[in-house]
Amino acid sequence: MPPTDTPDRARRWWQEVTPPQWKAMFAAWIGYLLDGFDFVLITLVLTEIAEDFRLSTATAASLISGAFITRWLGGAALGALGDRYGRKAAMISSILLYSLGTFACGFAWDYTSLFVARLVIGLGMAGEYSAGVTYVLESWPTRWRNRASGFLISGYAGGTVLAAELYKWVVPHWGWRWMFWIGVLPVLVALWVRRALPEAGDWQEEIGAAATGTPAARPNPFRPLFTGRIRSGANAALAVAALVALFCVFTPVGAGYVPWLSAVAALCLTAFAAQLGGRRGWLLCVSLMVTVFCAFLYSWPIQALLPTYLKTDLGYAPGQVTDVMFYAGFGTMAGCWLAGFVGDRLGTRRAYACTLLASLVFVFPVFAVQDSLPALGALVFVLLALSQGISGILPKYLAGHFPTATRAASVGFVYNVGALGGAVAPVLGAHLAEGMSLGRALAVLTFGLTLVVILLVGGNVPQRLGRLVDRQAPDDHLVPAAGGAGALPATSGSASGKAAPDSA
């Protein structure tokens, strides 16, 4: 009997998720915990690194942006690995890359060596997103895939909280290098758990079983990029141009030419998106890329500049800043969990838009409170739960637009190109603050761009644009009409059933 997704009214939802599916979630969640931990380490110890290596503020800040230079490449390459050889192989490769990159940061002897290590971290982080989310989403029952997405992404917020807590214990006693060396230890646990995991259900049924003994039958998402000598050479040149342009944009090398270099990088990456999407999917890929870019633009000004606002505009002491950041971290985690439940109840797209709309109520009050730390902490908790937390179902939203054979590579590329908005957002917020207070600048930027994302997602703009060139595109590849490979077997007394309606 083919797998179905028929609900059993006698059991709670968590009882419908099998032990192997919970194990898959736990393994991927650990990977995301480490991902968040490793990514924020550089922000926590940046002042110590700048002092040791005698770096200017601008040069030191470029170390944060270093990971963004290679994220698009890592997302596409490791995603393609996951599409061709399985989600497990891509997960293990990605966690090894970013953990070894983090470990290497502890041995850095100057700016250049540390920057190279950050490039490796960017490759691995991007692969972790595409491999982890596709593995979990394709393993869990179709009815609960928003929930799976929210649970998984909450691990990233947990990693940032863990890093902040360890910072105040480790760095004063042992120095900044130990933060990077400690960051590699939990990898042993993640690799142990992942070694015994089964392959993702959807991939195994649609790709793995069909391609057994026939390597030619395995998907190759990069095939459109290398169909002929001229196209291969042109795309290799595009890749080099994109990497060089992004390197110059995010380092002092490109000072004075940032707008032109940004345009070059954008054109190169858009050309790749158009080719990877193909004749029927190019417009969908480009529009999703823009949607993710806008999502990072509304969310990252607060993530990146909230500590600066607390210290400069409000005059908070380091301990008070830490307290507020704890509220922020746990608010994001709670929001990820909430997003999963609301997404399974209302549908991914509707839940995304409605939750963001509710968050607008709290944007300006957060930056109006000045004299009450508890009130500010409570408002920050709620704001980030509703605005940042909804990103918990962003993987489900993106992955539903792509078929299994190209899902990991497509999600990896689209998300990580859009993630460049996270590098642009702090700069945009800082420039806006030149004409007004930093708090007001952050409020205006967050409010305005959140409205843009509400219109894009709530109005189903990417899907509508995609159907201009592909009228047969399904609403959601992750929620087929009769269950999916990741669904549970049919229960006694029920031979078939339909998944709960949900549109990406």
Side-chain angles (χ1 to χ4, degrees):
M1 180 181 297
T4 59
D5 198 21
T6 306
D8 184 352
R9 302 300 181 187
R11 295 190 297 171
R12 301 291 186 182
W13 70 267
W14 60 84
Q15 295 172 319
E16 295 185 28
V17 183
T18 65
Q21 290 167 342
W22 277 116
K23 188 175 181 181
M25 170 62 71
F26 177 65
W29 189 86
I30 288 179
Y32 265 79
L33 184 80
L34 296 170
D35 195 355
F37 183 90
D38 287 356
F39 185 73
V40 302
L41 286 186
I42 192 71
T43 64
L44 294 171
V45 299
L46 196 61
T47 54
E48 288 86 356
I49 291 173
E51 183 178 353
D52 273 10
F53 293 161
R54 298 180 180 177
L55 305 176
S56 66
T57 301
T59 303
S62 68
L63 292 171
I64 300 176
S65 302
F68 287 94
I69 295 174
T70 52
R71 281 186 65 159
W72 68 273
L73 181 60
L78 290 171
L81 175 69
D83 287 332
R84 187 167 178 81
Y85 298 106
R87 312 311 190 200
K88 279 180 57 179
M91 288 168 66
I92 293 172
S93 300
S94 62
I95 198 171
L96 283 174
L97 268 176
Y98 77 69
S99 60
L100 292 176
T102 300
F103 192 61
C105 287
F107 293 98
W109 58 90
D110 60 6
Y111 169 81
T112 302
S113 58
L114 188 54
F115 193 89
V116 171
R118 291 288 298 164
L119 296 177
V120 176
I121 291 173
L123 288 170
M125 282 181 56
E128 176 65 20
Y129 190 94
S130 58
V133 299
T134 50
Y135 180 78
V136 170
L137 291 174
E138 293 173 1
S139 298
W140 268 47
T142 54
R143 256 187 337 283
W144 310 128
R145 286 180 171 177
N146 281 293
R147 212 159 295 188
S149 181
F151 290 161
L152 176 61
I153 300 303
S154 71
Y156 184 92
T160 64
V161 172
L162 179 62
E165 183 65 25
L166 282 178
Y167 169 77
K168 61 184 183 182
W169 292 100
V170 173
V171 174
H173 296 92
W174 298 326
W176 62 268
R177 294 181 186 273
W178 275 97
M179 285 292 289
F180 293 105
W181 292 336
I182 290 173
V184 78
L185 294 179
V187 172
L188 301 176
V189 179
L191 292 177
W192 174 79
V193 173
R194 290 178 175 185
R195 184 182 59 180
L197 289 176
E199 187 52 79
D202 286 3
W203 186 90
Q204 183 59 34
E205 180 174 287
E206 296 185 32
I207 309 298
T212 301
T214 56
R218 296 183 182 273
N220 181 7
F222 284 168
R223 185 176 289 115
L225 302 181
F226 300 102
T227 54
R229 182 176 299 178
I230 295 178
R231 174 171 285 190
S232 298
N235 283 319
L238 281 177
V240 172
L243 289 170
V244 171
L246 289 173
F247 175 82
C248 294
V249 166
F250 294 127
T251 61
V253 174
Y257 300 95
V258 170
W260 296 103
L261 292 167
S262 299
V264 170
L267 290 173
C268 293
L269 296 175
T270 301
F272 280 124
Q275 294 179 81
L276 290 171
R279 183 172 57 87
R280 293 187 175 182
W282 70 270
L283 194 53
L284 175 66
C285 284
V286 173
S287 56
L288 285 174
M289 201 164 67
V290 173
T291 301
V292 175
F293 187 84
C294 292
F296 271 83
L297 280 181
Y298 90 74
S299 64
W300 266 73
I302 291 182
Q303 289 192 57
L305 297 176
L306 181 59
T308 302
Y309 163 73
L310 296 174
K311 288 185 283 188
T312 57
D313 284 29
L314 302 187
Y316 277 14
Q320 293 174 306
V321 173
T322 300
D323 290 340
V324 175
M325 297 310 294
F326 267 102
Y327 283 112
F330 283 113
T332 303
M333 287 187 69
C336 288
W337 301 332
L338 174 67
F341 284 90
V342 176
D344 285 332
R345 183 80 174 179
L346 301 180
T348 308
R349 184 166 48 83
R350 190 178 295 111
Y352 210 116
C354 291
T355 308
L356 282 182
L357 191 62
S359 74
L360 295 178
V361 176
F362 299 92
V363 173
F364 286 100
V366 161
F367 296 99
V369 174
Q370 298 186 0
D371 301 323
S372 175
L373 180 59
L376 178 60
L379 286 171
V380 166
F381 180 94
V382 176
L383 173 61
L384 294 191
L386 295 174
S387 61
Q388 313 285 355
I390 195 62
S391 64
I393 58 174
L394 180 58
K396 167 62 174 60
Y397 172 74
L398 293 176
H401 288 88
F402 302 107
T404 304
T406 60
R407 181 172 295 141
S410 299
V411 170
F413 182 82
V414 165
Y415 176 82
N416 287 292
V417 171
L420 289 169
V424 174
V427 178
L428 188 60
H431 281 301
L432 193 61
E434 293 176 357
M436 61 183 75
S437 68
L438 179 58
R440 180 177 296 180
L442 293 178
V444 169
L445 197 58
T446 301
F447 191 93
L449 287 165
T450 299
L451 280 176
V452 173
V453 176
I454 291 172
L455 293 174
L456 289 172
V457 176
N460 203 19
V461 173
Q463 189 79 297
R464 292 176 187 274
L465 290 175
R467 284 182 175 163
L468 293 177
V469 292
D470 184 10
R471 296 183 180 277
Q472 305 301 319
D475 286 336
D476 191 342
H477 288 276
L478 278 170
V479 185
L488 297 173
T491 56
S492 58
S494 178
S496 63
K498 291 185 179 181
D502 186 2
S503 63

